[in-house]
Amino acid sequence: MSDELIEADAPEGELLSDRIADLVEYLVLNIVDDPDAVSLDVIDGEASSTIEISVAADDVAKVIGRHGRTIKAVRTLARALAARLGTSVEVEVLG
């Protein structure tokens, strides 16, 4: 898929960081036991965006994973999509 097609698929007025946040939200919702407690906050900066994930206290360990493997995988996917869209992103778990 070319970059022109990716940008053309975006609804009018939607930020690229919102598309990345949708991916992160989808991944996190499928990891946690309490999906109603999941919230994402997107902070757009000049050069990059930060996505802050808040989950229930019991789900923090699931999102981080053993030795941080799960959150590392989520970050890798988010960064790959961001690179494809021509931007950069950081993903943080707040708990």
Side-chain angles (χ1 to χ4, degrees):
M1 184 180 275
S2 71
D3 291 336
E4 294 83 26
L5 290 175
I6 292 172
E7 290 179 13
D9 292 343
E12 194 68 32
E14 183 181 32
L15 298 174
L16 295 177
S17 59
D18 291 339
R19 297 185 72 194
I20 301 165
D22 289 344
L23 170 67
V24 172
E25 181 179 33
Y26 174 79
L27 295 170
V28 171
L29 287 175
N30 285 287
I31 294 170
V32 299
D33 288 331
D34 185 5
D36 294 332
V38 174
S39 68
L40 273 69
D41 188 24
V42 180
I43 303 165
D44 290 314
E46 288 183 27
S48 68
S49 299
T50 302
I51 300 172
E52 295 178 341
I53 306 168
S54 297
V55 297
D58 294 340
D59 288 329
V60 173
K62 285 186 177 194
V63 173
I64 294 173
R66 244 180 231 190
H67 303 290
R69 289 183 184 147
T70 303
I71 191 61
K72 183 177 180 182
V74 170
R75 287 177 176 143
T76 299
L77 290 169
R79 288 178 182 150
L81 178 57
R84 181 130 175 134
L85 296 174
T87 188
S88 62
V89 68
E90 293 298 319
V91 178
E92 301 296 328
V93 178
L94 300 178

